[in-house]
PDB file of all heavy atoms in Angstrom:
ATOM      1  N   ILE A  10       4.888   2.140   6.791  1.00 83.00           N
ATOM      2  CA  ILE A  10       3.923   2.092   5.698  1.00 83.00           C
ATOM      3  C   ILE A  10       2.675   2.885   6.051  1.00 83.00           C
ATOM      4  O   ILE A  10       2.129   3.625   5.234  1.00 83.00           O
ATOM      5  CB  ILE A  10       3.548   0.630   5.366  1.00 83.00           C
ATOM      6  CG1 ILE A  10       4.771  -0.138   4.882  1.00 83.00           C
ATOM      7  CG2 ILE A  10       2.426   0.568   4.333  1.00 83.00           C
ATOM      8  CD1 ILE A  10       4.532  -1.615   4.692  1.00 83.00           C
ATOM      9  N   LEU A  11       2.228   2.763   7.292  1.00 86.00           N
ATOM     10  CA  LEU A  11       0.939   3.324   7.684  1.00 86.00           C
ATOM     11  C   LEU A  11       1.013   4.755   8.202  1.00 86.00           C
ATOM     12  O   LEU A  11      -0.001   5.460   8.214  1.00 86.00           O
ATOM     13  CB  LEU A  11       0.305   2.429   8.747  1.00 86.00           C
ATOM     14  CG  LEU A  11       0.151   0.961   8.356  1.00 86.00           C
ATOM     15  CD1 LEU A  11      -0.324   0.143   9.542  1.00 86.00           C
ATOM     16  CD2 LEU A  11      -0.790   0.813   7.190  1.00 86.00           C
ATOM     17  N   LEU A  12       2.168   5.199   8.624  1.00 87.00           N
ATOM     18  CA  LEU A  12       2.281   6.519   9.250  1.00 87.00           C
ATOM     19  C   LEU A  12       2.039   7.694   8.298  1.00 87.00           C
ATOM     20  O   LEU A  12       1.237   8.582   8.630  1.00 87.00           O
ATOM     21  CB  LEU A  12       3.651   6.634   9.923  1.00 87.00           C
ATOM     22  CG  LEU A  12       3.838   7.790  10.886  1.00 87.00           C
ATOM     23  CD1 LEU A  12       2.831   7.700  12.024  1.00 87.00           C
ATOM     24  CD2 LEU A  12       5.242   7.796  11.432  1.00 87.00           C
ATOM     25  N   PRO A  13       2.668   7.765   7.116  1.00 88.00           N
ATOM     26  CA  PRO A  13       2.424   8.938   6.254  1.00 88.00           C
ATOM     27  C   PRO A  13       0.961   9.138   5.852  1.00 88.00           C
ATOM     28  O   PRO A  13       0.447  10.256   5.964  1.00 88.00           O
ATOM     29  CB  PRO A  13       3.320   8.679   5.034  1.00 88.00           C
ATOM     30  CG  PRO A  13       4.399   7.799   5.533  1.00 88.00           C
ATOM     31  CD  PRO A  13       3.743   6.936   6.565  1.00 88.00           C
ATOM     32  N   PRO A  14       0.227   8.084   5.416  1.00 89.00           N
ATOM     33  CA  PRO A  14      -1.175   8.347   5.073  1.00 89.00           C
ATOM     34  C   PRO A  14      -2.028   8.698   6.291  1.00 89.00           C
ATOM     35  O   PRO A  14      -2.990   9.466   6.175  1.00 89.00           O
ATOM     36  CB  PRO A  14      -1.649   7.055   4.412  1.00 89.00           C
ATOM     37  CG  PRO A  14      -0.702   6.019   4.828  1.00 89.00           C
ATOM     38  CD  PRO A  14       0.596   6.716   5.077  1.00 89.00           C
ATOM     39  N   ALA A  15      -1.680   8.156   7.458  1.00 90.00           N
ATOM     40  CA  ALA A  15      -2.433   8.495   8.667  1.00 90.00           C
ATOM     41  C   ALA A  15      -2.270   9.977   9.002  1.00 90.00           C
ATOM     42  O   ALA A  15      -3.238  10.649   9.378  1.00 90.00           O
ATOM     43  CB  ALA A  15      -1.969   7.630   9.839  1.00 90.00           C
ATOM     44  N   ILE A  16      -1.068  10.496   8.836  1.00 91.00           N
ATOM     45  CA  ILE A  16      -0.828  11.924   9.108  1.00 91.00           C
ATOM     46  C   ILE A  16      -1.600  12.792   8.124  1.00 91.00           C
ATOM     47  O   ILE A  16      -2.234  13.771   8.505  1.00 91.00           O
ATOM     48  CB  ILE A  16       0.692  12.225   9.060  1.00 91.00           C
ATOM     49  CG1 ILE A  16       1.395  11.568  10.240  1.00 91.00           C
ATOM     50  CG2 ILE A  16       0.942  13.726   9.035  1.00 91.00           C
ATOM     51  CD1 ILE A  16       2.911  11.617  10.163  1.00 91.00           C
ATOM     52  N   VAL A  17      -1.570  12.417   6.837  1.00 90.00           N
ATOM     53  CA  VAL A  17      -2.279  13.214   5.823  1.00 90.00           C
ATOM     54  C   VAL A  17      -3.785  13.162   6.064  1.00 90.00           C
ATOM     55  O   VAL A  17      -4.473  14.182   5.955  1.00 90.00           O
ATOM     56  CB  VAL A  17      -1.924  12.723   4.403  1.00 90.00           C
ATOM     57  CG1 VAL A  17      -2.775  13.407   3.360  1.00 90.00           C
ATOM     58  CG2 VAL A  17      -0.451  12.964   4.120  1.00 90.00           C
ATOM     59  N   GLN A  18      -4.317  12.000   6.432  1.00 89.00           N
ATOM     60  CA  GLN A  18      -5.751  11.914   6.689  1.00 89.00           C
ATOM     61  C   GLN A  18      -6.122  12.693   7.945  1.00 89.00           C
ATOM     62  O   GLN A  18      -7.162  13.344   7.995  1.00 89.00           O
ATOM     63  CB  GLN A  18      -6.194  10.457   6.826  1.00 89.00           C
ATOM     64  CG  GLN A  18      -7.698  10.338   6.945  1.00 89.00           C
ATOM     65  CD  GLN A  18      -8.187   8.931   6.757  1.00 89.00           C
ATOM     66  OE1 GLN A  18      -7.416   8.006   6.554  1.00 89.00           O
ATOM     67  NE2 GLN A  18      -9.497   8.766   6.815  1.00 89.00           N
ATOM     68  N   TRP A  19      -5.288  12.641   8.951  1.00 91.00           N
ATOM     69  CA  TRP A  19      -5.540  13.381  10.181  1.00 91.00           C
ATOM     70  C   TRP A  19      -5.574  14.885   9.915  1.00 91.00           C
ATOM     71  O   TRP A  19      -6.344  15.612  10.518  1.00 91.00           O
ATOM     72  CB  TRP A  19      -4.458  13.028  11.204  1.00 91.00           C
ATOM     73  CG  TRP A  19      -4.566  13.797  12.476  1.00 91.00           C
ATOM     74  CD1 TRP A  19      -5.542  13.691  13.424  1.00 91.00           C
ATOM     75  CD2 TRP A  19      -3.655  14.796  12.944  1.00 91.00           C
ATOM     76  NE1 TRP A  19      -5.293  14.566  14.452  1.00 91.00           N
ATOM     77  CE2 TRP A  19      -4.139  15.254  14.177  1.00 91.00           C
ATOM     78  CE3 TRP A  19      -2.478  15.338  12.430  1.00 91.00           C
ATOM     79  CZ2 TRP A  19      -3.488  16.234  14.914  1.00 91.00           C
ATOM     80  CZ3 TRP A  19      -1.835  16.304  13.170  1.00 91.00           C
ATOM     81  CH2 TRP A  19      -2.342  16.740  14.387  1.00 91.00           C
ATOM     82  N   ARG A  20      -4.756  15.337   8.968  1.00 92.00           N
ATOM     83  CA  ARG A  20      -4.726  16.751   8.624  1.00 92.00           C
ATOM     84  C   ARG A  20      -5.841  17.139   7.648  1.00 92.00           C
ATOM     85  O   ARG A  20      -5.935  18.287   7.243  1.00 92.00           O
ATOM     86  CB  ARG A  20      -3.371  17.126   8.043  1.00 92.00           C
ATOM     87  CG  ARG A  20      -2.256  17.012   9.067  1.00 92.00           C
ATOM     88  CD  ARG A  20      -0.959  17.541   8.538  1.00 92.00           C
ATOM     89  NE  ARG A  20      -1.106  18.841   7.918  1.00 92.00           N
ATOM     90  CZ  ARG A  20      -0.730  19.986   8.455  1.00 92.00           C
ATOM     91  NH1 ARG A  20      -0.193  19.986   9.642  1.00 92.00           N
ATOM     92  NH2 ARG A  20      -0.877  21.113   7.808  1.00 92.00           N
ATOM     93  N   GLY A  21      -6.675  16.153   7.238  1.00 88.00           N
ATOM     94  CA  GLY A  21      -7.818  16.456   6.382  1.00 88.00           C
ATOM     95  C   GLY A  21      -7.497  16.521   4.905  1.00 88.00           C
ATOM     96  O   GLY A  21      -8.172  17.218   4.151  1.00 88.00           O
ATOM     97  N   GLY A  22      -6.489  15.794   4.468  1.00 84.00           N
ATOM     98  CA  GLY A  22      -6.093  15.808   3.064  1.00 84.00           C
ATOM     99  C   GLY A  22      -7.084  15.095   2.166  1.00 84.00           C
ATOM    100  O   GLY A  22      -7.901  14.286   2.609  1.00 84.00           O
ATOM    101  N   ARG A  23      -7.028  15.418   0.890  1.00 82.00           N
ATOM    102  CA  ARG A  23      -7.881  14.756  -0.093  1.00 82.00           C
ATOM    103  C   ARG A  23      -7.469  13.297  -0.245  1.00 82.00           C
ATOM    104  O   ARG A  23      -6.367  12.908   0.125  1.00 82.00           O
ATOM    105  CB  ARG A  23      -7.771  15.462  -1.443  1.00 82.00           C
ATOM    106  CG  ARG A  23      -8.326  16.846  -1.425  1.00 82.00           C
ATOM    107  CD  ARG A  23      -8.355  17.466  -2.796  1.00 82.00           C
ATOM    108  NE  ARG A  23      -7.365  16.876  -3.689  1.00 82.00           N
ATOM    109  CZ  ARG A  23      -6.712  17.543  -4.612  1.00 82.00           C
ATOM    110  NH1 ARG A  23      -6.922  18.811  -4.766  1.00 82.00           N
ATOM    111  NH2 ARG A  23      -5.844  16.947  -5.395  1.00 82.00           N
ATOM    112  N   ALA A  24      -8.364  12.505  -0.836  1.00 83.00           N
ATOM    113  CA  ALA A  24      -8.110  11.065  -0.988  1.00 83.00           C
ATOM    114  C   ALA A  24      -6.858  10.808  -1.819  1.00 83.00           C
ATOM    115  O   ALA A  24      -6.087   9.890  -1.526  1.00 83.00           O
ATOM    116  CB  ALA A  24      -9.322  10.388  -1.607  1.00 83.00           C
ATOM    117  N   VAL A  25      -6.631  11.614  -2.850  1.00 83.00           N
ATOM    118  CA  VAL A  25      -5.443  11.416  -3.687  1.00 83.00           C
ATOM    119  C   VAL A  25      -4.175  11.619  -2.876  1.00 83.00           C
ATOM    120  O   VAL A  25      -3.216  10.847  -2.993  1.00 83.00           O
ATOM    121  CB  VAL A  25      -5.471  12.379  -4.900  1.00 83.00           C
ATOM    122  CG1 VAL A  25      -4.151  12.389  -5.616  1.00 83.00           C
ATOM    123  CG2 VAL A  25      -6.563  11.991  -5.855  1.00 83.00           C
ATOM    124  N   LEU A  26      -4.156  12.632  -2.030  1.00 85.00           N
ATOM    125  CA  LEU A  26      -2.961  12.888  -1.223  1.00 85.00           C
ATOM    126  C   LEU A  26      -2.728  11.779  -0.205  1.00 85.00           C
ATOM    127  O   LEU A  26      -1.583  11.413   0.079  1.00 85.00           O
ATOM    128  CB  LEU A  26      -3.092  14.239  -0.519  1.00 85.00           C
ATOM    129  CG  LEU A  26      -3.137  15.456  -1.434  1.00 85.00           C
ATOM    130  CD1 LEU A  26      -3.344  16.721  -0.628  1.00 85.00           C
ATOM    131  CD2 LEU A  26      -1.871  15.546  -2.261  1.00 85.00           C
ATOM    132  N   ILE A  27      -3.808  11.224   0.328  1.00 86.00           N
ATOM    133  CA  ILE A  27      -3.669  10.110   1.273  1.00 86.00           C
ATOM    134  C   ILE A  27      -3.098   8.893   0.559  1.00 86.00           C
ATOM    135  O   ILE A  27      -2.234   8.192   1.089  1.00 86.00           O
ATOM    136  CB  ILE A  27      -5.028   9.805   1.931  1.00 86.00           C
ATOM    137  CG1 ILE A  27      -5.453  10.989   2.807  1.00 86.00           C
ATOM    138  CG2 ILE A  27      -4.965   8.528   2.764  1.00 86.00           C
ATOM    139  CD1 ILE A  27      -6.876  10.926   3.291  1.00 86.00           C
ATOM    140  N   MET A  28      -3.550   8.656  -0.672  1.00 84.00           N
ATOM    141  CA  MET A  28      -3.034   7.520  -1.436  1.00 84.00           C
ATOM    142  C   MET A  28      -1.562   7.718  -1.810  1.00 84.00           C
ATOM    143  O   MET A  28      -0.764   6.785  -1.756  1.00 84.00           O
ATOM    144  CB  MET A  28      -3.894   7.299  -2.674  1.00 84.00           C
ATOM    145  CG  MET A  28      -5.308   6.845  -2.330  1.00 84.00           C
ATOM    146  SD  MET A  28      -6.411   6.849  -3.730  1.00 84.00           S
ATOM    147  CE  MET A  28      -6.065   5.242  -4.411  1.00 84.00           C
ATOM    148  N   VAL A  29      -1.194   8.928  -2.159  1.00 85.00           N
ATOM    149  CA  VAL A  29       0.218   9.223  -2.454  1.00 85.00           C
ATOM    150  C   VAL A  29       1.064   9.011  -1.202  1.00 85.00           C
ATOM    151  O   VAL A  29       2.155   8.443  -1.265  1.00 85.00           O
ATOM    152  CB  VAL A  29       0.374  10.664  -3.003  1.00 85.00           C
ATOM    153  CG1 VAL A  29       1.824  11.096  -3.009  1.00 85.00           C
ATOM    154  CG2 VAL A  29      -0.223  10.770  -4.391  1.00 85.00           C
ATOM    155  N   ALA A  30       0.558   9.441  -0.057  1.00 88.00           N
ATOM    156  CA  ALA A  30       1.288   9.241   1.195  1.00 88.00           C
ATOM    157  C   ALA A  30       1.435   7.756   1.513  1.00 88.00           C
ATOM    158  O   ALA A  30       2.454   7.328   2.054  1.00 88.00           O
ATOM    159  CB  ALA A  30       0.577   9.969   2.336  1.00 88.00           C
ATOM    160  N   GLY A  31       0.430   6.950   1.159  1.00 85.00           N
ATOM    161  CA  GLY A  31       0.538   5.506   1.358  1.00 85.00           C
ATOM    162  C   GLY A  31       1.638   4.900   0.511  1.00 85.00           C
ATOM    163  O   GLY A  31       2.399   4.042   0.971  1.00 85.00           O
ATOM    164  N   LEU A  32       1.737   5.344  -0.732  1.00 82.00           N
ATOM    165  CA  LEU A  32       2.824   4.865  -1.584  1.00 82.00           C
ATOM    166  C   LEU A  32       4.178   5.342  -1.057  1.00 82.00           C
ATOM    167  O   LEU A  32       5.171   4.625  -1.141  1.00 82.00           O
ATOM    168  CB  LEU A  32       2.606   5.318  -3.024  1.00 82.00           C
ATOM    169  CG  LEU A  32       1.422   4.666  -3.738  1.00 82.00           C
ATOM    170  CD1 LEU A  32       1.255   5.252  -5.126  1.00 82.00           C
ATOM    171  CD2 LEU A  32       1.583   3.174  -3.801  1.00 82.00           C
ATOM    172  N   LEU A  33       4.215   6.546  -0.502  1.00 83.00           N
ATOM    173  CA  LEU A  33       5.441   7.042   0.132  1.00 83.00           C
ATOM    174  C   LEU A  33       5.816   6.159   1.317  1.00 83.00           C
ATOM    175  O   LEU A  33       6.991   5.854   1.531  1.00 83.00           O
ATOM    176  CB  LEU A  33       5.266   8.497   0.574  1.00 83.00           C
ATOM    177  CG  LEU A  33       6.431   9.090   1.353  1.00 83.00           C
ATOM    178  CD1 LEU A  33       7.615   9.301   0.427  1.00 83.00           C
ATOM    179  CD2 LEU A  33       6.024  10.382   2.012  1.00 83.00           C
ATOM    180  N   GLY A  34       4.813   5.728   2.090  1.00 84.00           N
ATOM    181  CA  GLY A  34       5.066   4.830   3.211  1.00 84.00           C
ATOM    182  C   GLY A  34       5.658   3.509   2.762  1.00 84.00           C
ATOM    183  O   GLY A  34       6.575   2.979   3.391  1.00 84.00           O
ATOM    184  N   LEU A  35       5.143   2.976   1.653  1.00 80.00           N
ATOM    185  CA  LEU A  35       5.726   1.742   1.106  1.00 80.00           C
ATOM    186  C   LEU A  35       7.171   1.965   0.689  1.00 80.00           C
ATOM    187  O   LEU A  35       8.037   1.104   0.888  1.00 80.00           O
ATOM    188  CB  LEU A  35       4.917   1.261  -0.097  1.00 80.00           C
ATOM    189  CG  LEU A  35       3.639   0.510   0.212  1.00 80.00           C
ATOM    190  CD1 LEU A  35       2.839   0.291  -1.061  1.00 80.00           C
ATOM    191  CD2 LEU A  35       3.942  -0.808   0.881  1.00 80.00           C
ATOM    192  N   TRP A  36       7.456   3.135   0.131  1.00 77.00           N
ATOM    193  CA  TRP A  36       8.817   3.447  -0.280  1.00 77.00           C
ATOM    194  C   TRP A  36       9.729   3.547   0.941  1.00 77.00           C
ATOM    195  O   TRP A  36      10.871   3.074   0.920  1.00 77.00           O
ATOM    196  CB  TRP A  36       8.819   4.750  -1.076  1.00 77.00           C
ATOM    197  CG  TRP A  36      10.157   5.118  -1.579  1.00 77.00           C
ATOM    198  CD1 TRP A  36      10.803   4.618  -2.665  1.00 77.00           C
ATOM    199  CD2 TRP A  36      11.057   6.056  -0.981  1.00 77.00           C
ATOM    200  NE1 TRP A  36      12.028   5.187  -2.790  1.00 77.00           N
ATOM    201  CE2 TRP A  36      12.224   6.077  -1.770  1.00 77.00           C
ATOM    202  CE3 TRP A  36      10.991   6.875   0.129  1.00 77.00           C
ATOM    203  CZ2 TRP A  36      13.292   6.895  -1.468  1.00 77.00           C
ATOM    204  CZ3 TRP A  36      12.065   7.685   0.431  1.00 77.00           C
ATOM    205  CH2 TRP A  36      13.192   7.689  -0.368  1.00 77.00           C
TER     206      TRP A  36
END
Side-chain angles (χ1 to χ4, degrees):
I10 297 173
L11 305 173
L12 194 60
I16 291 171
V17 173
Q18 186 166 1
W19 176 69
R20 294 187 48 105
R23 294 187 335 215
V25 169
L26 295 177
I27 294 169
M28 293 170 86
V29 167
L32 291 177
L33 175 71
L35 280 171
W36 182 79

